[in-house]
Short mmCIF file of all heavy atoms in Angstrom, two decimals:
data_model
loop_
_atom_site.label_atom_id
_atom_site.label_comp_id
_atom_site.label_asym_id
_atom_site.label_seq_id
_atom_site.Cartn_x
_atom_site.Cartn_y
_atom_site.Cartn_z
N ASN A 258 4.32 -117.42 -232.39
CA ASN A 258 4.93 -116.09 -232.38
C ASN A 258 4.68 -115.36 -231.07
O ASN A 258 5.54 -114.62 -230.59
CB ASN A 258 4.39 -115.25 -233.54
CG ASN A 258 4.84 -115.78 -234.89
OD1 ASN A 258 5.88 -116.43 -235.00
ND2 ASN A 258 4.06 -115.52 -235.92
N LYS A 259 3.50 -115.57 -230.50
CA LYS A 259 3.13 -114.87 -229.27
C LYS A 259 3.80 -115.50 -228.03
O LYS A 259 4.30 -114.78 -227.17
CB LYS A 259 1.62 -114.88 -229.11
CG LYS A 259 1.11 -114.18 -227.86
CD LYS A 259 -0.41 -114.23 -227.77
CE LYS A 259 -0.91 -113.56 -226.49
NZ LYS A 259 -2.40 -113.61 -226.40
N LYS A 260 3.80 -116.81 -227.95
CA LYS A 260 4.26 -117.49 -226.74
C LYS A 260 5.73 -117.88 -226.77
O LYS A 260 6.35 -118.01 -225.72
CB LYS A 260 3.41 -118.73 -226.48
CG LYS A 260 1.95 -118.43 -226.15
CD LYS A 260 1.21 -119.68 -225.73
CE LYS A 260 -0.21 -119.38 -225.30
NZ LYS A 260 -0.93 -120.60 -224.85
N VAL A 261 6.28 -118.11 -227.96
CA VAL A 261 7.68 -118.53 -228.08
C VAL A 261 8.45 -117.51 -228.91
O VAL A 261 9.16 -116.67 -228.39
CB VAL A 261 7.78 -119.95 -228.70
CG1 VAL A 261 9.25 -120.37 -228.86
CG2 VAL A 261 7.04 -120.96 -227.84
N GLY A 262 8.33 -117.58 -230.21
CA GLY A 262 8.98 -116.61 -231.09
C GLY A 262 10.49 -116.73 -231.13
O GLY A 262 11.07 -117.72 -230.69
N PHE A 263 11.13 -115.69 -231.64
CA PHE A 263 12.58 -115.66 -231.83
C PHE A 263 13.19 -114.45 -231.12
O PHE A 263 12.54 -113.43 -230.95
CB PHE A 263 12.93 -115.58 -233.31
CG PHE A 263 12.53 -116.80 -234.11
CD1 PHE A 263 11.28 -116.87 -234.70
CD2 PHE A 263 13.40 -117.87 -234.24
CE1 PHE A 263 10.91 -118.00 -235.43
CE2 PHE A 263 13.05 -119.00 -234.97
CZ PHE A 263 11.81 -119.06 -235.57
N ILE A 264 14.46 -114.60 -230.72
CA ILE A 264 15.21 -113.45 -230.20
C ILE A 264 15.52 -112.49 -231.35
O ILE A 264 15.37 -111.27 -231.22
CB ILE A 264 16.54 -113.91 -229.55
CG1 ILE A 264 16.31 -115.00 -228.52
CG2 ILE A 264 17.25 -112.71 -228.92
CD1 ILE A 264 17.60 -115.66 -228.05
N ASN A 265 15.97 -113.06 -232.44
CA ASN A 265 16.38 -112.26 -233.61
C ASN A 265 15.15 -111.57 -234.22
O ASN A 265 14.23 -112.24 -234.68
CB ASN A 265 17.03 -113.19 -234.64
CG ASN A 265 17.73 -112.42 -235.74
OD1 ASN A 265 17.25 -111.38 -236.19
ND2 ASN A 265 18.87 -112.92 -236.18
N PRO A 266 15.13 -110.24 -234.23
CA PRO A 266 13.96 -109.53 -234.76
C PRO A 266 13.71 -109.80 -236.24
O PRO A 266 12.57 -109.70 -236.70
CB PRO A 266 14.28 -108.06 -234.50
CG PRO A 266 15.77 -108.01 -234.35
CD PRO A 266 16.17 -109.31 -233.75
N LEU A 267 14.76 -110.13 -236.99
CA LEU A 267 14.59 -110.43 -238.41
C LEU A 267 13.83 -111.74 -238.59
O LEU A 267 12.93 -111.84 -239.43
CB LEU A 267 15.97 -110.50 -239.10
CG LEU A 267 16.81 -109.23 -239.03
CD1 LEU A 267 18.16 -109.44 -239.71
CD2 LEU A 267 16.07 -108.06 -239.69
N LYS A 268 14.18 -112.74 -237.80
CA LYS A 268 13.46 -114.01 -237.85
C LYS A 268 12.03 -113.83 -237.37
O LYS A 268 11.09 -114.39 -237.93
CB LYS A 268 14.16 -115.06 -236.99
CG LYS A 268 15.43 -115.64 -237.58
CD LYS A 268 15.97 -116.77 -236.69
CE LYS A 268 17.19 -117.42 -237.30
NZ LYS A 268 17.72 -118.52 -236.44
N GLN A 269 11.86 -113.04 -236.31
CA GLN A 269 10.52 -112.82 -235.76
C GLN A 269 9.63 -112.13 -236.78
O GLN A 269 8.46 -112.49 -236.94
CB GLN A 269 10.61 -112.01 -234.48
CG GLN A 269 9.29 -111.75 -233.79
CD GLN A 269 8.66 -112.99 -233.20
OE1 GLN A 269 9.30 -114.03 -233.09
NE2 GLN A 269 7.40 -112.90 -232.81
#
Side-chain angles (χ1 to χ4, degrees):
N258 292 334
K259 180 180 178 180
K260 294 187 176 182
V261 178
F263 294 91
I264 307 169
N265 192 322
L267 300 178
K268 285 185 177 180
Q269 182 69 12

